[in-house]
Amino acid sequence: MDDQLKNTLLRAVHAGADVLRHYFEGTFEVHSKDSLNNLVTEVDQKAENVIIEVIKSDFPEHFILSEEVGELSTSSNYKWVIDPIDGTVNFAHSIPICCISIGLEKDGLLMMGAVFNPFMNELFFAEKGKGATLNNKPLSVSKNANLESACLVTGFPYRWVDVGTDPISVFERFIRLGLPVRRLGSAALDLCWVAAGRFDGFWEYNLNPWDIAAGYLIVEEAGGRITNFNGDPYSIYDKQTLATNGNIHDQMLLVIKNG
Ligand code: IPD
Ligand code: CA
Ligand code: CA
């Protein structure tokens, strides 16, 4: 069964990727969602359609949660959590830092996840208890144990109503420590790049389950740690995300909490 699920997962991310490649740098419709720069393009919808088609044709009874269509709810204990394009603003501006992200939960726990950036040809994959890979090669987080020499990444919400000034103050505290902090514009890739040891840590407020599901498992299976800002065990439905190589986790928590 797990092999079948993996096969479906990989076919689904590749089907989505074909759509992204087809439209990249071309013309397509772009609309705003709840705020001017929270975009949805017709490519998000087309990629989502083909991804769901692949999953539904193999597992018609499975539950689906996907960013643009929402919940296609069933009583199945399998739930596919889909972001057809993570990094839509990048995609709409022809910036090749975007991906398809699909996580699969069984009984509420992540069991498999894939994140594919077709423009860098990087496929990140993880299966619970079996490690994480990048293009089939084992992945592991960095070994850096000092926040002082860490390279970090973050992101900012489109809407500020529910978050106050916290994301800016936390960002300022890390910057004032003299640390390099990057902003890629794709939370799923931020997580995968922590898993790959490119970044030592990532934090963000107000992400959604489809941004995080696959990347969460990929970070954990690459040996990293992921919690909310209290250091509690993580759920993809949390509104605070801290993912690190594990070694600098507590040091980052101190900076985030001690405003
Ligand atoms: C966004 C990206 C971005 C993050 C936003 C997300 P989208 O997802 O992951 O990095 O900062 O909060 O909404 O809209 O491109 O799917
Ligand atoms: Ca997203
Ligand atoms: Ca998206």
Side-chain angles (χ1 to χ4, degrees), residues 67 83-88 158 185-188 207-208 210-212:
E67 179 172 10
D83 196 337
I85 305 181
D86 187 59
T88 294
Y158 297 115
S186 161
L207 289 170
N208 287 300
W210 44 83
D211 303 314
I212 316 161

Side-chain angles (χ1 to χ4, degrees), residues 2-18:
D2 287 4
D3 282 351
Q4 254 179 294
L5 291 165
K6 179 174 175 181
N7 179 284
T8 304
L9 172 63
L10 295 181
R11 280 195 294 110
V13 289
H14 282 291
D18 288 345

